[in-house]
Amino acid sequence: MEAKADHRRQSSCFHSAVLLTSPMESSILAAARASVPATVFSPLSTSFPSRTAAAHRADGARPAARGAVRCSAAAQGSVLHRLGSADETFFNSSEVIQWESGKSINSIAAAQGIRIRRRCRPRYPSEGVGVDRAIPRNVLEQIVWDKEVDLSQRKAKMPLQRVVESAERAPPPRDFVAALDAARRRNGGLPALIAEVKKASPIKGLLREDFNPVEIARAYEKNGAACLSILTDEKHFLGSFENLETVRNSGVKCPLLCKDFVIDVWQIYYARSKGADAVLLIAAVLPDLDIKYMLRVCRSLGMMALVEVHDERELDRMLKIDGVQIIGINNRSLGTFEVDAANTNMLLEKHGDIIRKKRIMVVSESGLFTPHDVASVQNAGVSAVLVGESLVTQEDPGRAIAGLFGKELLH
Ligand SMILES: O=C(O)c1ccccc1NCC(=O)[C@H](O)[C@H](O)COP(=O)(O)O
């Protein structure tokens, strides 16, 4: 039983909640005792009964019922309440039950076709054997493994409870989708621009020597960008949350996307606390249940989620999830990390109808360099483009916008 529980502790968005409670107490009781917003316990509250069943039986007590979550006084007025945790469908879903049954996140992810694994821990042979478990299979997997280490250090310094409180004190979020819609209307239907403040890439290395995030952000805004994407990953992109915060406090009005590799809800609250209006959720990294839960957290914070897909399988998965409002189609192959803008067109040719029917906004991401690239994804039906390298590598990243679109954008 305990081995299973340990197994489940492998990083997922539920991770933090497990570590905050003792196995002997119900999550809601613990929340009440510690005055921790119950959001951090919400999925776990459904898993505690199975995890603690043996202990409860030994005491002659019955495992806490799922319903306890809904009627607990501790939940009243809490973030859990705002997440809409009373939704039977979510908390009783087969995915939650599957997760409760003790499967590792890697096996759940693999069953969904996810190729990016979480880091296998040496003490748990069931998570992988031999060389396979010690070496990341590609750049994205390496980034995710490094993110796990970075995140555990950050969480040790600033526990979830403090991050949640800090997010609640942040200035209100700006409307990411409205900004994209308005820019499109202003520019006669041209895709809106999400301009990326990007200093380096793990594939291309340093993109810009004299990197001043605020200057670049101001130049983007002045030249018609609708929203900005701020890379916050330090190790592989030389980004930072300080960059996000300084841009937010600089007077720039564009809504801000925190561009990072989210594997835990802690990061969403942290991004909000630093002024983000939207976060990126990567389907190649996150199982469906994490995406669903994280969408709820975003909604509770008034943030938007840009849900990123690379291929048809990921797109199919995301189209089955309620509440996805913006899908980003990344033109960077997960196999070779080469970019090919035709990826957007190919996926929209096959799935454009259902995307339109569901009124989902599509963003084409990566590898857009010329007016021809922009026109091509526009014809395929995208509402916006997310562009970093081709702007940030120009001497004047603001003026580079007119070069990319073949005309000046209205601001
Ligand atoms: O940019 C990379 O080299 C990269 C490598 C591995 C994983 C992700 C990567 N980029 C993240 C992004 O999504 C891009 O920064 C963004 O789409 C802008 O792309 P581009 O216009 O090609 O700089």
Short mmCIF file of all heavy atoms in Angstrom, two decimals, residues 138-141 143 194-198 200-205 207 229 231 236-237 259-261 280 282 306 308 310 329-334 337 339 364-369 386-393, ligand 1:
data_model
loop_
_atom_site.label_atom_id
_atom_site.label_comp_id
_atom_site.label_asym_id
_atom_site.label_seq_id
_atom_site.Cartn_x
_atom_site.Cartn_y
_atom_site.Cartn_z
N ASN A 138 15.34 13.02 -25.29
CA ASN A 138 15.45 14.18 -26.19
C ASN A 138 15.48 15.48 -25.39
O ASN A 138 15.39 15.45 -24.16
CB ASN A 138 14.33 14.19 -27.24
CG ASN A 138 12.95 14.29 -26.61
OD1 ASN A 138 12.76 15.03 -25.66
ND2 ASN A 138 12.00 13.54 -27.14
N VAL A 139 15.61 16.58 -26.11
CA VAL A 139 15.78 17.87 -25.44
C VAL A 139 14.60 18.19 -24.52
O VAL A 139 14.79 18.65 -23.39
CB VAL A 139 15.89 19.02 -26.50
CG1 VAL A 139 16.04 20.37 -25.84
CG2 VAL A 139 17.05 18.77 -27.42
N LEU A 140 13.38 17.92 -24.99
CA LEU A 140 12.22 18.27 -24.17
C LEU A 140 12.21 17.43 -22.88
O LEU A 140 11.92 17.96 -21.79
CB LEU A 140 10.93 18.09 -24.97
CG LEU A 140 9.64 18.52 -24.27
CD1 LEU A 140 9.72 19.96 -23.76
CD2 LEU A 140 8.43 18.38 -25.21
N GLU A 141 12.57 16.16 -23.01
CA GLU A 141 12.61 15.31 -21.81
C GLU A 141 13.67 15.84 -20.84
O GLU A 141 13.45 15.91 -19.64
CB GLU A 141 12.89 13.87 -22.21
CG GLU A 141 12.48 12.89 -21.13
CD GLU A 141 12.37 11.46 -21.66
OE1 GLU A 141 11.28 11.08 -22.11
OE2 GLU A 141 13.38 10.73 -21.62
N ILE A 143 14.64 18.91 -20.56
CA ILE A 143 14.12 20.15 -19.95
C ILE A 143 13.17 19.79 -18.81
O ILE A 143 13.23 20.38 -17.72
CB ILE A 143 13.38 21.01 -21.02
CG1 ILE A 143 14.36 21.52 -22.08
CG2 ILE A 143 12.65 22.18 -20.36
CD1 ILE A 143 13.70 22.20 -23.29
N ILE A 194 1.57 37.08 -30.90
CA ILE A 194 2.11 36.88 -29.54
C ILE A 194 3.62 36.89 -29.73
O ILE A 194 4.20 35.96 -30.29
CB ILE A 194 1.66 35.53 -28.94
CG1 ILE A 194 0.13 35.39 -28.98
CG2 ILE A 194 2.18 35.38 -27.51
CD1 ILE A 194 -0.39 33.99 -28.62
N ALA A 195 4.25 37.99 -29.32
CA ALA A 195 5.68 38.15 -29.58
C ALA A 195 6.47 37.65 -28.38
O ALA A 195 6.16 37.98 -27.23
CB ALA A 195 5.99 39.62 -29.85
N GLU A 196 7.49 36.85 -28.67
CA GLU A 196 8.19 36.17 -27.57
C GLU A 196 9.48 36.89 -27.17
O GLU A 196 10.33 37.19 -28.02
CB GLU A 196 8.50 34.73 -27.96
CG GLU A 196 9.06 33.91 -26.81
CD GLU A 196 8.76 32.43 -26.97
OE1 GLU A 196 7.61 32.03 -26.68
OE2 GLU A 196 9.65 31.69 -27.39
N VAL A 197 9.60 37.10 -25.87
CA VAL A 197 10.81 37.67 -25.29
C VAL A 197 11.73 36.49 -24.96
O VAL A 197 11.58 35.82 -23.94
CB VAL A 197 10.45 38.51 -24.04
CG1 VAL A 197 11.69 39.06 -23.36
CG2 VAL A 197 9.50 39.64 -24.42
N LYS A 198 12.65 36.21 -25.89
CA LYS A 198 13.41 34.94 -25.86
C LYS A 198 14.90 35.24 -26.02
O LYS A 198 15.32 35.73 -27.06
CB LYS A 198 12.90 34.09 -27.03
CG LYS A 198 13.53 32.72 -27.20
CD LYS A 198 12.86 31.97 -28.35
CE LYS A 198 13.30 30.53 -28.46
NZ LYS A 198 12.66 29.81 -29.57
N ALA A 200 17.49 32.87 -25.49
CA ALA A 200 18.27 31.73 -26.01
C ALA A 200 17.35 30.55 -26.23
O ALA A 200 16.20 30.54 -25.76
CB ALA A 200 19.34 31.36 -25.00
N SER A 201 17.85 29.59 -26.97
CA SER A 201 17.09 28.34 -27.17
C SER A 201 18.06 27.18 -27.02
O SER A 201 19.24 27.30 -27.33
CB SER A 201 16.44 28.36 -28.55
OG SER A 201 16.96 27.34 -29.38
N PRO A 202 17.56 26.04 -26.54
CA PRO A 202 18.46 24.90 -26.36
C PRO A 202 19.00 24.38 -27.68
O PRO A 202 20.02 23.70 -27.70
CB PRO A 202 17.59 23.85 -25.66
CG PRO A 202 16.18 24.28 -25.87
CD PRO A 202 16.19 25.74 -26.08
N ILE A 203 18.33 24.70 -28.75
CA ILE A 203 18.77 24.21 -30.07
C ILE A 203 19.71 25.22 -30.73
O ILE A 203 20.78 24.87 -31.23
CB ILE A 203 17.54 23.98 -31.00
CG1 ILE A 203 16.53 23.03 -30.34
CG2 ILE A 203 17.96 23.49 -32.39
CD1 ILE A 203 17.01 21.61 -30.13
N LYS A 204 19.33 26.51 -30.67
CA LYS A 204 20.11 27.54 -31.37
C LYS A 204 21.13 28.25 -30.49
O LYS A 204 21.92 29.04 -30.97
CB LYS A 204 19.15 28.60 -31.96
CG LYS A 204 18.17 28.04 -32.99
CD LYS A 204 18.82 28.02 -34.36
CE LYS A 204 17.94 27.41 -35.43
NZ LYS A 204 16.97 28.32 -36.01
N GLY A 205 21.06 28.04 -29.18
CA GLY A 205 21.98 28.75 -28.28
C GLY A 205 21.53 30.18 -28.07
O GLY A 205 20.33 30.50 -28.17
N LEU A 207 20.46 33.77 -28.64
CA LEU A 207 19.83 34.42 -29.80
C LEU A 207 20.15 35.91 -29.83
O LEU A 207 20.13 36.52 -30.89
CB LEU A 207 18.31 34.22 -29.77
CG LEU A 207 17.81 32.77 -29.88
CD1 LEU A 207 16.31 32.71 -29.63
CD2 LEU A 207 18.15 32.18 -31.24
N SER A 229 4.89 36.77 -24.95
CA SER A 229 5.25 35.50 -24.33
C SER A 229 6.61 35.70 -23.67
O SER A 229 7.58 36.09 -24.33
CB SER A 229 5.32 34.42 -25.42
OG SER A 229 6.07 33.31 -24.97
N LEU A 231 9.61 33.96 -21.71
CA LEU A 231 10.22 32.69 -21.30
C LEU A 231 10.76 32.82 -19.88
O LEU A 231 11.48 33.77 -19.57
CB LEU A 231 11.33 32.30 -22.26
CG LEU A 231 10.81 31.54 -23.49
CD1 LEU A 231 11.74 31.68 -24.67
CD2 LEU A 231 10.59 30.07 -23.16
N HIS A 236 17.62 26.42 -19.83
CA HIS A 236 17.71 26.14 -21.27
C HIS A 236 17.39 27.35 -22.15
O HIS A 236 17.73 27.36 -23.33
CB HIS A 236 16.78 24.98 -21.63
CG HIS A 236 17.18 23.72 -20.94
ND1 HIS A 236 18.16 22.89 -21.42
CD2 HIS A 236 16.76 23.16 -19.77
CE1 HIS A 236 18.31 21.86 -20.59
NE2 HIS A 236 17.49 22.01 -19.58
N PHE A 237 16.70 28.36 -21.59
CA PHE A 237 16.30 29.51 -22.41
C PHE A 237 16.84 30.83 -21.86
O PHE A 237 16.55 31.89 -22.43
CB PHE A 237 14.77 29.58 -22.51
CG PHE A 237 14.18 28.43 -23.30
CD1 PHE A 237 13.88 27.22 -22.68
CD2 PHE A 237 13.93 28.54 -24.66
CE1 PHE A 237 13.35 26.15 -23.40
CE2 PHE A 237 13.40 27.48 -25.39
CZ PHE A 237 13.11 26.28 -24.77
N LYS A 259 5.85 31.55 -20.39
CA LYS A 259 6.25 30.43 -21.26
C LYS A 259 7.23 29.57 -20.48
O LYS A 259 8.39 29.94 -20.28
CB LYS A 259 6.89 31.01 -22.52
CG LYS A 259 7.06 30.00 -23.64
CD LYS A 259 5.76 29.86 -24.40
CE LYS A 259 5.80 28.95 -25.58
NZ LYS A 259 6.93 29.08 -26.45
N ASP A 260 6.71 28.47 -19.98
CA ASP A 260 7.57 27.58 -19.19
C ASP A 260 7.11 26.15 -19.42
O ASP A 260 6.21 25.91 -20.25
CB ASP A 260 7.50 27.96 -17.69
CG ASP A 260 8.80 27.66 -16.97
OD1 ASP A 260 9.36 26.58 -17.17
OD2 ASP A 260 9.27 28.51 -16.19
N PHE A 261 7.67 25.24 -18.69
CA PHE A 261 7.34 23.83 -18.86
C PHE A 261 6.62 23.40 -17.58
O PHE A 261 7.25 23.01 -16.59
CB PHE A 261 8.63 23.03 -19.14
CG PHE A 261 9.25 23.51 -20.43
CD1 PHE A 261 10.06 24.65 -20.44
CD2 PHE A 261 8.96 22.89 -21.63
CE1 PHE A 261 10.60 25.13 -21.63
CE2 PHE A 261 9.48 23.38 -22.83
CZ PHE A 261 10.30 24.50 -22.82
N LEU A 280 1.37 28.26 -20.45
CA LEU A 280 1.43 27.23 -21.48
C LEU A 280 1.28 25.86 -20.82
O LEU A 280 1.95 25.57 -19.84
CB LEU A 280 2.79 27.32 -22.18
CG LEU A 280 3.02 26.34 -23.33
CD1 LEU A 280 2.27 26.80 -24.58
CD2 LEU A 280 4.51 26.21 -23.65
N ILE A 282 1.60 21.88 -21.99
CA ILE A 282 2.11 21.12 -23.13
C ILE A 282 1.55 19.70 -23.11
O ILE A 282 1.84 18.92 -22.20
CB ILE A 282 3.66 21.10 -23.13
CG1 ILE A 282 4.21 22.54 -23.07
CG2 ILE A 282 4.20 20.37 -24.35
CD1 ILE A 282 5.74 22.63 -23.01
N LEU A 306 -2.83 28.35 -22.77
CA LEU A 306 -2.53 28.02 -24.17
C LEU A 306 -2.10 26.55 -24.15
O LEU A 306 -1.05 26.22 -23.60
CB LEU A 306 -1.42 28.93 -24.69
CG LEU A 306 -0.84 28.62 -26.08
CD1 LEU A 306 -1.91 28.68 -27.16
CD2 LEU A 306 0.28 29.60 -26.43
N GLU A 308 -0.73 23.40 -25.80
CA GLU A 308 0.13 23.19 -26.98
C GLU A 308 0.15 21.74 -27.44
O GLU A 308 0.32 20.82 -26.65
CB GLU A 308 1.55 23.62 -26.61
CG GLU A 308 2.55 23.42 -27.73
CD GLU A 308 3.94 23.89 -27.32
OE1 GLU A 308 4.17 25.11 -27.32
OE2 GLU A 308 4.78 23.04 -26.99
N HIS A 310 1.66 19.04 -30.72
CA HIS A 310 2.65 18.92 -31.80
C HIS A 310 2.14 18.06 -32.94
O HIS A 310 2.61 18.15 -34.06
CB HIS A 310 3.94 18.28 -31.27
CG HIS A 310 4.69 19.14 -30.31
ND1 HIS A 310 4.32 19.24 -28.98
CD2 HIS A 310 5.77 19.93 -30.47
CE1 HIS A 310 5.16 20.07 -28.36
NE2 HIS A 310 6.05 20.50 -29.24
N ILE A 329 -0.53 25.17 -32.03
CA ILE A 329 0.07 24.07 -32.81
C ILE A 329 1.54 24.41 -32.97
O ILE A 329 1.89 25.42 -33.60
CB ILE A 329 -0.61 23.92 -34.18
CG1 ILE A 329 -2.10 23.58 -33.99
CG2 ILE A 329 0.10 22.83 -34.99
CD1 ILE A 329 -2.87 23.39 -35.29
N ASN A 330 2.39 23.59 -32.36
CA ASN A 330 3.82 23.88 -32.43
C ASN A 330 4.40 23.24 -33.70
O ASN A 330 4.19 22.06 -33.96
CB ASN A 330 4.55 23.37 -31.18
CG ASN A 330 5.87 24.09 -30.98
OD1 ASN A 330 6.58 24.38 -31.95
ND2 ASN A 330 6.20 24.41 -29.75
N ASN A 331 5.10 24.05 -34.46
CA ASN A 331 5.68 23.56 -35.72
C ASN A 331 7.05 22.91 -35.52
O ASN A 331 7.71 22.54 -36.48
CB ASN A 331 5.82 24.73 -36.71
CG ASN A 331 4.47 25.35 -37.00
OD1 ASN A 331 3.51 24.65 -37.27
ND2 ASN A 331 4.39 26.68 -36.93
N ARG A 332 7.47 22.81 -34.25
CA ARG A 332 8.78 22.20 -33.96
C ARG A 332 8.57 20.70 -33.70
O ARG A 332 7.83 20.33 -32.80
CB ARG A 332 9.41 22.89 -32.74
CG ARG A 332 10.82 22.48 -32.47
CD ARG A 332 11.48 23.37 -31.42
NE ARG A 332 12.05 24.56 -32.02
CZ ARG A 332 11.58 25.78 -31.88
NH1 ARG A 332 10.51 25.99 -31.15
NH2 ARG A 332 12.15 26.81 -32.46
N SER A 333 9.22 19.88 -34.50
CA SER A 333 9.06 18.43 -34.35
C SER A 333 9.67 17.96 -33.04
O SER A 333 10.79 18.38 -32.69
CB SER A 333 9.74 17.74 -35.53
OG SER A 333 10.22 16.47 -35.15
N LEU A 334 8.96 17.07 -32.36
CA LEU A 334 9.50 16.53 -31.10
C LEU A 334 10.56 15.47 -31.36
O LEU A 334 11.30 15.08 -30.46
CB LEU A 334 8.38 15.92 -30.26
CG LEU A 334 7.57 16.89 -29.43
CD1 LEU A 334 6.55 16.15 -28.58
CD2 LEU A 334 8.46 17.74 -28.54
N PHE A 337 13.36 18.35 -33.61
CA PHE A 337 13.37 19.75 -33.15
C PHE A 337 13.60 20.73 -34.31
O PHE A 337 13.91 21.89 -34.11
CB PHE A 337 14.32 19.95 -31.96
CG PHE A 337 13.75 19.29 -30.73
CD1 PHE A 337 13.98 17.94 -30.49
CD2 PHE A 337 12.92 19.97 -29.87
CE1 PHE A 337 13.40 17.29 -29.41
CE2 PHE A 337 12.33 19.34 -28.79
CZ PHE A 337 12.58 18.00 -28.55
N VAL A 339 11.96 22.94 -37.41
CA VAL A 339 10.64 23.57 -37.54
C VAL A 339 10.11 23.44 -38.97
O VAL A 339 10.88 23.50 -39.93
CB VAL A 339 10.66 25.07 -37.13
CG1 VAL A 339 10.74 25.22 -35.63
CG2 VAL A 339 11.80 25.82 -37.81
N SER A 364 -0.50 29.42 -34.26
CA SER A 364 0.61 28.69 -34.86
C SER A 364 1.90 29.14 -34.17
O SER A 364 2.18 30.33 -34.07
CB SER A 364 0.68 28.98 -36.37
OG SER A 364 1.75 28.24 -36.95
N GLU A 365 2.68 28.15 -33.69
CA GLU A 365 3.87 28.49 -32.89
C GLU A 365 5.14 27.95 -33.53
O GLU A 365 5.17 26.81 -34.01
CB GLU A 365 3.79 27.82 -31.51
CG GLU A 365 2.60 28.13 -30.66
CD GLU A 365 2.61 27.27 -29.39
OE1 GLU A 365 3.64 26.68 -29.05
OE2 GLU A 365 1.56 27.18 -28.75
N SER A 366 6.17 28.75 -33.51
CA SER A 366 7.55 28.36 -33.87
C SER A 366 7.80 28.33 -35.38
O SER A 366 6.94 27.91 -36.17
CB SER A 366 7.93 26.97 -33.35
OG SER A 366 7.73 26.86 -31.98
N GLY A 367 9.01 28.77 -35.72
CA GLY A 367 9.50 28.63 -37.09
C GLY A 367 8.82 29.52 -38.10
O GLY A 367 8.79 29.18 -39.29
N LEU A 368 8.28 30.66 -37.68
CA LEU A 368 7.65 31.58 -38.64
C LEU A 368 8.63 32.74 -38.88
O LEU A 368 8.99 33.46 -37.95
CB LEU A 368 6.31 32.08 -38.10
CG LEU A 368 5.30 30.96 -37.79
CD1 LEU A 368 4.09 31.48 -37.05
CD2 LEU A 368 4.88 30.23 -39.07
N PHE A 369 9.02 32.90 -40.15
CA PHE A 369 10.09 33.85 -40.48
C PHE A 369 9.69 34.90 -41.51
O PHE A 369 10.29 35.96 -41.58
CB PHE A 369 11.33 33.10 -40.99
CG PHE A 369 12.06 32.35 -39.91
CD1 PHE A 369 11.71 31.05 -39.59
CD2 PHE A 369 13.07 32.95 -39.17
CE1 PHE A 369 12.36 30.36 -38.58
CE2 PHE A 369 13.72 32.27 -38.15
CZ PHE A 369 13.36 30.97 -37.86
N LEU A 386 2.68 32.76 -32.73
CA LEU A 386 3.60 33.00 -31.62
C LEU A 386 5.02 32.93 -32.19
O LEU A 386 5.42 31.90 -32.73
CB LEU A 386 3.40 31.94 -30.54
CG LEU A 386 4.08 32.22 -29.19
CD1 LEU A 386 3.36 31.49 -28.07
CD2 LEU A 386 5.54 31.85 -29.19
N VAL A 387 5.73 34.06 -32.09
CA VAL A 387 7.01 34.18 -32.80
C VAL A 387 8.09 34.68 -31.86
O VAL A 387 7.90 35.67 -31.15
CB VAL A 387 6.88 35.17 -33.99
CG1 VAL A 387 8.17 35.22 -34.79
CG2 VAL A 387 5.71 34.79 -34.89
N GLY A 388 9.22 33.99 -31.85
CA GLY A 388 10.35 34.43 -31.04
C GLY A 388 11.57 34.73 -31.87
O GLY A 388 11.90 35.89 -32.15
N GLU A 389 12.23 33.67 -32.32
CA GLU A 389 13.54 33.80 -32.95
C GLU A 389 13.60 34.84 -34.07
O GLU A 389 14.51 35.67 -34.11
CB GLU A 389 13.97 32.43 -33.50
CG GLU A 389 15.34 32.45 -34.12
CD GLU A 389 15.71 31.10 -34.74
OE1 GLU A 389 15.18 30.06 -34.29
OE2 GLU A 389 16.55 31.11 -35.66
N SER A 390 12.63 34.80 -34.98
CA SER A 390 12.76 35.67 -36.16
C SER A 390 12.64 37.15 -35.80
O SER A 390 13.05 38.01 -36.56
CB SER A 390 11.75 35.28 -37.26
OG SER A 390 10.46 35.64 -36.91
N LEU A 391 12.10 37.46 -34.61
CA LEU A 391 12.02 38.87 -34.18
C LEU A 391 13.22 39.25 -33.32
O LEU A 391 13.87 40.27 -33.51
CB LEU A 391 10.73 39.11 -33.39
CG LEU A 391 9.42 38.81 -34.11
CD1 LEU A 391 8.24 39.01 -33.16
CD2 LEU A 391 9.26 39.71 -35.35
N VAL A 392 13.51 38.37 -32.37
CA VAL A 392 14.48 38.73 -31.34
C VAL A 392 15.92 38.75 -31.89
O VAL A 392 16.80 39.41 -31.32
CB VAL A 392 14.28 37.78 -30.12
CG1 VAL A 392 15.09 36.52 -30.23
CG2 VAL A 392 14.52 38.48 -28.84
N THR A 393 16.13 38.08 -32.99
CA THR A 393 17.48 38.06 -33.57
C THR A 393 17.74 39.29 -34.47
O THR A 393 18.88 39.51 -34.89
CB THR A 393 17.72 36.78 -34.40
OG1 THR A 393 16.62 36.62 -35.30
CG2 THR A 393 17.84 35.55 -33.53
O1 LIG B 1 13.01 27.06 -29.13
C1 LIG B 1 13.50 25.94 -29.01
O2 LIG B 1 14.61 25.64 -29.53
C2 LIG B 1 12.80 24.86 -28.23
C3 LIG B 1 13.42 23.64 -28.05
C4 LIG B 1 12.79 22.64 -27.31
C5 LIG B 1 11.54 22.86 -26.76
C6 LIG B 1 10.91 24.08 -26.95
C7 LIG B 1 11.53 25.07 -27.67
N1 LIG B 1 10.94 26.30 -27.86
C8 LIG B 1 9.81 26.77 -27.16
C9 LIG B 1 8.88 27.47 -28.04
O3 LIG B 1 7.74 27.06 -28.04
C10 LIG B 1 9.33 28.61 -28.89
O4 LIG B 1 10.16 29.44 -28.14
C11 LIG B 1 8.21 29.46 -29.47
O5 LIG B 1 7.25 28.67 -30.09
C12 LIG B 1 8.78 30.45 -30.49
O6 LIG B 1 9.45 29.75 -31.49
P1 LIG B 1 10.41 30.48 -32.52
O7 LIG B 1 9.63 31.57 -33.20
O8 LIG B 1 10.83 29.43 -33.48
O9 LIG B 1 11.54 31.04 -31.72
#
